[in-house]
Amino acid sequence: MGREFWAGDGFLAILCTGPRNEGGVNVESRWFMSFFKSFLVLICLTFGFASVAAAQEDIESLRPLVNALAKGKFKETEKQIGALAATGNSAVAPALEALGDGDLYARKSDGVVFIAKKAGKGYALTDPLTLEDAGEVGRRAVSKIKVNNGLRRVIRSALGSLTLQSADPEVRKTAAEAIFKAKDPDGIEALDGALAKETDDGVRLVMEQARAAAVLASDMSLEVKTAAIEVLETMGNRDALSVIVGVQNASEGELKQVADDAVRRIKKNLAMWDNAQNIWYGLSLGSVLLLAAIGLAITFGVMGVINMAHGEMVMIGAYVTFVVQEIIRSSAPWLFEYSLLIALPLAFIVSGSIGIAIERGIIRWLYGRPLETLLATWGLSLMLQQAVRSIFGPTNQEVGNPDWMSGAFELGQLTITYNRMWIIVFSLLVFAGLMLVLKKTPFGLFTRAVTQNRRMAASMGIRTPWIDAFTFGLGSGIAGIAGVALSQIDNVSPNLGQGYIIDSFMVVVFGGVGNLWGTLVGAMTLGVVNKFLEPYAGAVLGKIFVLVFIILFIQKRPRGLFALKGRAVES
Amino acid sequence: MMTSFLFRTLDAKAGVFIAILLAVIVAVPCFNLLVPETSSFHLPTYAVTLMGKYMTYALLALSVDLVWGFCGILSLGHGAFFALGGYAMGMYLMRQIGTRGVYGDPILPDFMVFLNWKELPWYWYGFDMFWFAAIMVMLVPGVLAFVFGWFAFRSRVTGVYLSIITQALTYALLLAFFRNDMGFGGNNGLTDFKDILGFDVQADTTRAGLFATSGLAVLICFLICRAITKSKLGKVLVAVRDAESRTRFLGYRVEHYKLFVWTISAMMAGIAGALYVPQVGIINPGEFAPANSIETVIWVAVGGRGTLVGAVIGAILVNFAKTWFTAALPDLWLFALGGLFVAVTLFLPKGIIGIAGDLMKKRKSTPSKETNDTSGPSATKTPDPEPAE
Amino acid sequence: MSRPNSLLYLDGVSVSFDGFKALNDLSMVIGPGEMRAIIGPNGAGKTTMMDVITGKTKPDTGEVYFNGVVDLTGEDEASIAELGIGRKFQKPTVFESHTIWDNLELALKGPRGPFATLFHRLSAEEEARINELLKVIRLGEKAHELAENLSHGQKQWLEIGMLLAQDPKLLLVDEPAAGMTDAETAETAELLKDIAKTHAVVVVEHDMTFIRALGVKVTCLAEGSVLAEGSLDYVSANERVVEVYLGR
């Protein structure tokens, strides 16, 4: 799929990117509201193509019925409309639509019916069934098929039932949704007809909701409207709320009471979903923090080395992703969908090797002098930033999202974007993988041995310098992997890492040094707390509150949430 | 009593330093104001301002050295105290603008008029008076340091943990001062100053005066720091730096000592900031950036941690190099600065002053072989790292 | 001995780290002016006991009283030191970048507040006292050398000197003979015996010759509680002590 996307094949590209736009339905709501009729026709056109092509024969069999529209008075026309609707073939929709708009004309010479638009001095004709161009004629060669308001209503319901009873459930659903948006009482009849025949439960639900919205806009009895409000209440989202609020404002007495209750309940329900959304955003932020901090949890937490260049390892990981994508774009576009998977091991290796080089070159001379380590690695971070700036320039680099990272889906009232979801999943996978490495592999055993008692480990034949180097490399490599993930949601610039370094330290310190679980809980807690503060305090103030909270927290529990106790820590 | 307290610890080396400093304080304004511009000995005003800026940096370095060099508290947030002092001075300078601002409001600074504020926020009251601003320059950083330190030292947050939360402190302030609602000019900060104590801030004489004031501030703070570090209190501080828990078991309340020196240091940083602002003509939230604070630490490390003269020399040298690099080879400056961090920590743990001291010792000891032999092994020995607390 | 006339009184003290019981219902009483030796295998809780007494570690349960009336569990290290309990660490801990003189000056009894020390000037008496201590610990000629240049044994002595400078009522001395030659060990024992004439002393040691040279009441700790208490001969005859500590 991705291959066509990058091959630049316009049509398929549109199909591919199609799902991405569905998240933005609301944007189009105004458009829906005003012209639901035209929309139905559009659906017929879009989804009708296939049937048109497949059943050319059928269409020709419809032509006598269409031509019959031109005959007789309103009474007869009404019957003909009924007959057309009864075919259940959506190919007749354009003709009906044109009839309602007064654009349907009969050719005087042979009585054949066309859709006609004024063009110059005459009319441009279009075949009402095949929608092919049928040339131009003079003004006097055709005569308009007249309609009145009564007919227009008949046409509308016929159109509604045509789409509402289409063979394709998608068409039926979209038609029902359009009625919901328009809140058109005229749609009730058509919906009732469609509901009687509906077999798909999903579509039935949408139809019932649409009917309820339409009922509330009509002048029907109190009982019916109360029932409609109940239907909408079960729907429970903002659309339903806005319909009921409309009722609430427009009505008095008992109905208002019912609406008031429903609004209150829906709002309560929505507040719950808002909280769920906040938690989701919080977890999403938490997973980003986790990714940024987890490598640090190894270098700082397990080894006790303050690596201020940790953020730059993340940044380098992001740049590796950028380079991989650039190469893929220029020489192997079909690989784009896999670009992140290719970048992951590369980023790990690049950042990891730089980490090992740093450990061998600088940090090993500074063990036992944490403050000096801090300064030296800060200097290193300045150099790495400047190096990247010199090579790639100071501006943001564009890193693309593969399709599987794009778009969103709905869960209840939640909108869940794929990139956020994958990053949460990914961060947990990295966490689990790291746990496995540290707990279940010989390397992990050696690492733990060296960090607990260096001298003893050395005397048991463990090459402690190499364990140090590789542990540091592991922490840096994981930072590189984090960079691949963060390149999907953040700007890739030389300053990328700096934005994360303070947050990462906060997470590790808050969670408790030397404890990976603490890092997990710390990251998620800080993420969620941050997102819950944001609506009240704003993003910046929320962040300040979190920082102040951590500053106070560290004073209360200097060793973080999950502190190690005992003599080993004291000495 | 105060004078004897300040001067009783002076020795020859400190005397030389003070003499040089005094000479510079007198000479620079003279070469600027008295020597005619046509003479090749004339010092342009921009150079005077630049040196004045270096002096304020030297003062900031002194304050960092007092806590880091002598008490082992590595502050990565001293830029916050510097900036707070700067903002206090900036607020005074803003109030002095009066009706000369773009909007001509007699009370409200331009940015408040721009934000449609109707009256002055309460915390801007009093800053039209110099004495009030001068007190605030020390009081605001001092109080913040006291409160922060009271919490941190009492609960025994030490080492890198303390460094990290000082960094978080300045980061939080950075974010806060970026907000327009804070009432400190947001992103743009405070600028467009007109005059200070009635003197035009752009005038050559004012510039020279500010330079001399900064130099004198360095001198006075140097004397205060020296008196502190040479007193018994100073010995306790070094004891805390080297073996904190041992000091506790001797009966010293370590947190009180740290709090004392931390607060003094923050107030000195505030003074440095206050002198910095009228010379550069602007104070904005960028001064709170954690990177600035860390850079200050490296000035101290370059000069020689734990030596007051070193802090001053380091600040001036590194900033001179920065001025030169950013003009001549702007792309290389960060490489040079980064390399400096690495090189100093790896190869120059005692800084320039330490190296100079070692060289002097060597020259002295070469003629008499015996003394060299007895102290041989210990001279190369690096001090035991303090066990992580 | 009852609490009111004891100097140090520990009753039912327990401390645990993550489930590991470092002290388990430990009870012990030291009388005024008494000297006590404490022995026991590694992990018996000797150092933790000292941590509890000096306020570094808070006990989970149990009572710790000084002078019969002062509850030590509510005090921090500095105030416990001010009360008159001095401590020498297992690993000699002196201020390496100070001279020996300054080390002693810092330890010398006197006001401990920051403002008191800021304006402090050495009095003639204090100077005399420091000179006296220098003689006791035999570091007179090295008075103005940095402590980092001392040998291991000299550091041990300097630390004992600092303890004396504090003039405490009770000295806690952790392994004073570690890393010393036999001659030095014997001298240290003599020094401690001298000190014990005027101070109460608790000595933790592994060196049995050293303990024998002290010739005082011995307490054997194991797994965080008292195993046996009495004269050295009595304790070393105890079956359990032999089993867990001395070996057969």
Side-chain angles (χ1 to χ4, degrees):
Chain A
M1 203 169 152
R3 181 187 158 201
E4 290 88 348
F5 181 51
W6 283 106
D9 185 328
F11 180 63
L12 282 170
I14 289 166
L15 278 190
C16 290
T17 50
R20 199 183 289 192
N21 298 332
E22 284 188 1
V25 164
N26 283 339
V27 182
E28 296 154 14
S29 64
R30 245 174 300 156
W31 186 69
F32 273 116
M33 293 273 258
S34 48
F35 277 116
F36 100 100
K37 266 194 317 179
S38 336
F39 184 73
L40 292 186
V41 173
L42 253 178
I43 296 164
C44 297
L45 292 179
T46 322
F47 290 89
F49 270 135
S51 50
V52 169
Q56 198 66 39
E57 305 286 303
D58 286 1
I59 282 184
E60 285 316 313
S61 69
L62 292 173
R63 195 166 297 281
L65 286 173
V66 174
N67 287 344
L69 286 172
K71 292 167 191 148
K73 302 236 158 75
F74 291 143
K75 266 268 168 63
E76 282 79 35
T77 315
E78 192 177 329
K79 272 188 198 146
Q80 290 304 324
I81 292 168
L84 272 174
T87 62
N89 191 330
S90 49
V92 300
L96 288 176
E97 170 72 3
L99 179 61
D101 291 345
D103 286 340
L104 208 61
Y105 288 75
R107 193 151 62 193
K108 280 181 183 164
S109 55
D110 51 8
V112 175
V113 171
F114 287 98
I115 297 170
K117 299 264 180 195
K118 271 210 172 101
K121 286 192 174 168
Y123 286 97
L125 299 184
T126 311
D127 187 298
L129 290 166
T130 62
L131 299 177
E132 280 157 7
D133 194 15
E136 275 184 39
V137 293
R139 211 144 39 103
R140 302 190 179 279
V142 289
S143 67
K144 184 172 178 169
I145 303 172
K146 288 185 181 115
V147 283
N148 62 9
N149 279 341
L151 267 184
R152 283 201 187 90
R153 196 172 304 128
V154 175
I155 292 168
R156 210 148 45 210
S157 82
L159 271 172
S161 55
L162 258 182
T163 47
L164 283 169
Q165 294 179 29
S166 155
D168 184 344
E170 267 316 301
V171 177
R172 302 203 296 271
K173 194 173 162 200
T174 318
E177 276 166 359
I179 295 178
F180 183 92
K181 303 272 180 201
K183 296 192 269 293
D184 184 355
D186 294 340
I188 297 174
E189 216 175 309
L191 279 168
D192 282 340
L195 274 168
K197 291 179 195 157
E198 187 55 60
T199 48
D200 184 317
D201 283 347
V203 178
R204 170 181 290 272
L205 188 65
V206 177
M207 283 180 175
E208 275 167 358
Q209 288 163 352
R211 183 176 185 279
V215 163
L216 287 175
S218 72
D219 43 11
M220 291 170 98
S221 72
L222 179 66
E223 289 78 41
V224 183
K225 285 191 170 180
T226 311
I229 287 178
E230 273 167 25
V231 169
L232 288 180
E233 206 187 310
T234 54
M235 195 175 164
N237 62 10
R238 290 195 191 280
D239 292 339
L241 184 66
S242 71
V243 173
I244 301 179
V245 166
V247 174
Q248 191 185 18
N249 294 337
S251 61
E252 286 171 348
E254 208 172 326
L255 186 63
K256 186 173 169 61
Q257 190 61 41
V258 175
D260 281 348
D261 291 349
V263 165
R264 204 176 51 246
R265 280 193 294 267
I266 293 181
K267 277 188 175 163
K268 203 172 145 196
N269 195 24
L270 281 176
M272 198 192 76
W273 281 109
D274 276 349
N275 281 342
Q277 186 86 53
N278 272 339
I279 291 178
W280 169 254
Y281 286 147
L283 290 179
S284 163
L285 177 64
S287 67
V288 171
L289 290 175
L290 178 64
L291 275 175
I294 196 163
L296 202 68
I298 297 181
T299 51
F300 180 44
V302 179
M303 299 179 72
V305 170
I306 312 294
N307 183 13
M308 295 297 275
H310 179 81
E312 278 57 47
M313 299 293 135
V314 177
M315 181 261 286
I316 287 170
Y319 270 91
V320 169
T321 319
F322 167 71
V323 171
V324 165
Q325 287 198 350
E326 282 298 293
I327 293 173
I328 285 179
R329 257 172 229 184
S330 60
S331 55
W334 70 90
L335 275 175
F336 186 80
E337 282 300 293
Y338 308 100
S339 58
L340 295 186
L341 296 179
I342 298 167
L344 277 180
L346 286 176
F348 183 85
I349 292 169
V350 172
S351 290
S353 328
I354 294 177
I356 290 176
I358 292 173
E359 202 278 343
R360 287 288 86 189
I362 296 173
I363 288 170
R364 71 163 157 157
W365 308 107
L366 297 171
Y367 280 119
R369 292 159 65 193
L371 298 182
E372 276 85 348
T373 317
L374 192 158
L375 294 178
T377 49
W378 173 264
L380 210 65
S381 81
L382 292 182
M383 291 198 278
L384 287 172
Q385 275 176 41
Q386 186 60 36
V388 170
R389 205 172 284 131
S390 304
I391 300 171
F392 295 96
T395 49
N396 292 346
Q397 301 292 352
E398 196 195 326
V399 173
N401 298 12
D403 283 339
W404 49 274
M405 288 286 278
S406 320
F409 65 93
E410 307 245 335
L411 184 75
Q413 310 285 345
L414 292 184
T415 307
I416 291 178
T417 52
Y418 279 107
N419 58 0
R420 294 277 167 182
M421 188 191 76
W422 283 121
I423 284 179
I424 290 182
V425 170
F426 180 68
S427 68
L428 293 176
L429 283 179
V430 170
F431 178 80
L434 193 61
M435 272 304 203
L436 271 182
V437 167
L438 285 181
K439 299 276 178 194
K440 301 283 179 197
T441 64
F443 170 72
L445 182 67
F446 290 162
T447 304
R448 282 179 294 142
V450 170
T451 52
Q452 275 170 28
N453 192 334
R454 170 172 305 271
R455 221 169 279 174
M456 181 63 100
S459 54
M460 295 188 68
I462 299 173
R463 284 174 201 272
T464 54
W466 283 109
I467 294 295
D468 287 336
F470 282 117
T471 312
F472 197 83
L474 177 67
S476 306
I478 287 176
I481 301 187
V484 178
L486 295 184
S487 74
Q488 294 295 304
I489 52 170
D490 204 344
N491 295 327
V492 177
S493 75
N495 301 327
L496 171 78
Q498 279 205 311
Y500 289 100
I501 186 74
I502 292 182
D503 286 338
S504 313
F505 269 114
M506 290 298 123
V507 166
V508 175
V509 168
F510 175 68
V513 173
N515 189 324
L516 282 184
W517 288 105
T519 307
L520 176 68
V521 175
M524 293 303 170
T525 313
L526 290 186
V528 172
V529 167
N530 218 329
K531 285 296 168 189
F532 268 92
L533 278 175
E534 264 178 27
Y536 307 105
V540 176
L541 212 53
K543 200 164 165 96
I544 295 171
F545 282 146
V546 169
L547 283 174
V548 171
F549 163 73
I550 295 175
I551 291 175
L552 291 174
F553 177 85
I554 292 176
Q555 328 225 321
K556 199 76 209 153
R557 298 195 59 166
R559 299 194 181 278
L561 269 182
F562 293 82
L564 296 173
K565 269 167 80 182
R567 266 171 61 157
V569 182
E570 300 281 319
S571 60
Chain B
M1 186 196 131
M2 226 34 219
T3 46
S4 82
F5 171 71
L6 282 183
F7 294 108
R8 75 179 188 215
T9 57
L10 286 187
D11 57 14
K13 273 188 218 158
V16 171
F17 174 73
I18 290 169
I20 294 176
L21 194 55
L22 272 174
V24 171
I25 291 170
V26 175
V28 167
C30 286
F31 280 111
N32 173 236
L33 298 175
L34 302 182
V35 177
E37 276 184 44
T38 47
S39 162
S40 53
F41 290 103
H42 175 78
L43 200 60
T45 305
Y46 81 86
V48 175
T49 302
L50 199 61
M51 286 158 96
K53 203 170 87 174
Y54 293 167
M55 283 295 169
T56 63
Y57 285 149
L59 187 51
L60 176 62
L62 264 183
S63 73
V64 170
D65 195 24
L66 186 63
V67 286
W68 185 41
F70 293 92
C71 198
I73 304 170
L74 175 54
S75 168
L76 300 183
H78 253 53
F81 305 128
F82 182 82
L84 284 174
Y87 265 99
M89 177 57 86
M91 286 161 81
Y92 163 75
L93 295 170
M94 284 310 263
R95 297 290 306 267
Q96 292 309 105
I97 296 174
T99 53
R100 287 168 292 176
V102 177
Y103 296 105
D105 192 299
I107 307 284
L108 294 185
D110 279 348
F111 73 89
M112 291 190 194
V113 182
F114 183 75
L115 290 174
N116 247 334
W117 290 17
K118 293 296 168 234
E119 53 188 311
L120 209 60
W122 60 267
Y123 45 83
W124 275 76
Y125 286 121
F127 277 95
D128 48 338
M129 294 166 284
F130 183 79
W131 64 267
F132 182 84
I135 291 175
M136 285 301 145
V137 158
M138 290 184 277
L139 199 64
V140 173
V143 167
L144 175 68
F146 186 86
V147 172
F148 179 86
W150 192 77
F151 279 115
F153 302 137
R154 204 180 49 128
S155 44
R156 301 192 184 172
V157 180
T158 55
V160 288
Y161 291 90
L162 191 78
S163 304
I164 290 168
I165 62 168
T166 53
Q167 200 182 11
L169 173 77
T170 191
Y171 187 56
L173 283 168
L174 168 79
L175 294 176
F177 273 76
F178 263 123
R179 289 162 47 84
N180 278 331
D181 310 357
M182 279 286 284
F184 295 109
N187 198 4
N188 299 323
L190 310 175
T191 187
D192 287 338
F193 308 133
K194 303 290 186 224
D195 49 27
I196 177 169
L197 286 170
F199 302 103
D200 180 6
V201 285
Q202 303 292 345
D204 289 359
T205 43
T206 319
R207 297 270 165 164
L210 283 168
F211 165 79
T213 315
S214 306
L216 281 175
V218 172
L219 185 68
I220 292 169
C221 288
F222 172 79
L223 287 173
I224 293 176
C225 287
R226 199 173 156 83
I228 289 175
T229 55
K230 291 288 173 185
S231 71
K232 188 174 176 188
L233 180 133
K235 290 176 187 170
V236 177
L237 292 181
V238 172
V240 170
R241 181 190 75 189
D242 288 353
E244 180 169 333
S245 66
R246 189 80 193 89
T247 319
R248 262 204 191 100
F249 286 115
L250 282 182
Y252 291 101
R253 278 248 150 59
V254 168
E255 52 274 24
H256 292 179
Y257 281 83
K258 284 184 171 174
L259 195 54
F260 172 80
V261 74
W262 175 252
T263 308
I264 296 271
S265 165
M267 287 159 79
M268 275 169 53
I271 296 172
L275 289 167
Y276 170 83
V277 168
Q279 302 193 60
V280 298
I282 186 171
I283 175 77
N284 60 30
E287 294 297 332
F288 284 103
N292 285 9
S293 299
I294 302 184
E295 218 178 297
T296 309
V297 172
I298 209 64
W299 305 340
V300 178
V302 166
R305 175 189 174 194
T307 60
L308 295 170
V309 178
V312 173
I313 292 177
I316 293 174
L317 270 185
V318 176
N319 281 295
F320 181 76
K322 182 177 190 171
T323 309
W324 183 80
F325 259 106
T326 43
L329 305 160
D331 287 344
L332 287 183
W333 166 242
L334 278 182
F335 283 119
L337 183 66
L340 200 59
F341 272 92
V342 178
V344 166
T345 46
L346 282 183
F347 307 115
L348 270 179
K350 289 181 187 166
I352 293 172
I353 293 289
I355 290 289
D358 285 356
L359 285 178
M360 294 229 299
K361 248 185 226 163
K362 240 180 219 166
R363 195 174 303 165
K364 266 185 203 162
S365 57
T366 1
S368 54
K369 258 278 192 252
E370 318 139 73
T371 51
N372 199 18
D373 284 347
T374 50
S375 64
S378 63
T380 52
K381 189 180 147 203
T382 49
D384 272 355
E386 210 214 326
E389 281 283 325
Chain C
M1 204 184 300
S2 65
R3 201 180 95 192
N5 32 13
S6 67
L7 180 66
L8 180 67
Y9 180 90
L10 284 87
D11 188 25
V13 176
S14 295
V15 175
S16 62
F17 300 120
D18 286 336
F20 168 72
K21 283 231 164 194
L23 289 183
N24 188 9
D25 201 20
L26 176 81
S27 301
M28 193 170 68
V29 182
I30 309 285
E34 185 187 345
M35 184 175 194
R36 175 76 60 89
I38 300 201
I39 58 173
N42 281 328
K46 302 182 299 277
T47 302
T48 309
M49 183 193 78
M50 293 215 171
D51 285 349
V52 167
I53 297 169
T54 52
K56 191 177 177 192
T57 303
K58 300 282 165 227
D60 301 336
T61 55
E63 297 180 333
V64 185
Y65 281 92
F66 184 63
N67 262 340
V69 285
V70 188
D71 180 3
L72 293 184
T73 56
E75 307 284 336
D76 67 357
E77 294 102 317
S79 54
I80 290 175
E82 290 253 55
L83 281 169
I85 298 181
R87 177 177 184 184
K88 197 201 86 61
F89 288 84
Q90 194 168 341
K91 180 175 170 255
T93 320
V94 295
F95 304 122
E96 308 247 340
S97 42
H98 276 315
T99 61
I100 287 140
W101 179 279
D102 284 345
N103 266 285
L104 290 172
E105 187 191 333
L106 283 175
L108 213 57
K109 195 172 181 157
R112 296 297 205 219
F115 293 99
T117 52
L118 183 58
F119 298 107
H120 179 266
R121 293 183 114 155
L122 208 58
S123 68
E125 293 152 55
E126 288 176 317
E127 222 166 295
R129 175 81 183 131
I130 292 174
N131 278 319
E132 192 185 321
L133 286 166
L134 281 170
K135 235 173 269 164
V136 174
I137 58 173
R138 294 160 210 195
L139 289 170
E141 315 105 76
K142 300 202 170 203
H144 295 286
E145 276 187 32
L146 292 186
E148 64 180 357
N149 298 338
L150 293 180
S151 73
H152 186 80
Q154 285 171 323
K155 280 186 191 165
Q156 297 270 40
W157 279 35
L158 173 56
E159 211 182 352
I160 293 172
M162 288 164 72
L163 265 189
L164 291 174
Q166 273 180 274
D167 193 22
K169 297 193 183 75
L170 172 67
L171 283 81
L172 304 174
V173 188
D174 204 348
E175 304 202 17
M180 284 189 173
T181 62
D182 286 352
E184 281 174 333
T185 307
E187 279 185 73
T188 308
E190 287 309 307
L191 180 62
L192 279 181
K193 267 157 72 178
D194 254 12
I195 293 168
K197 284 174 192 158
T198 46
H199 303 83
V201 182
V202 173
V203 188
V204 169
E205 211 12 291
H206 283 298
D207 187 331
M208 282 317 206
T209 0
F210 183 84
I211 304 272
R212 192 165 293 281
L214 292 178
V216 293
K217 189 172 172 185
V218 173
T219 300
C220 180
L221 295 187
E223 292 178 1
S225 45
V226 176
L227 199 63
E229 202 168 81
S231 73
L232 182 58
D233 292 329
Y234 170 79
V235 170
S236 33
N238 183 309
E239 277 289 305
R240 293 271 298 135
V241 172
V242 172
E243 190 181 321
V244 304
Y245 183 49
L246 298 174
R248 286 177 204 279

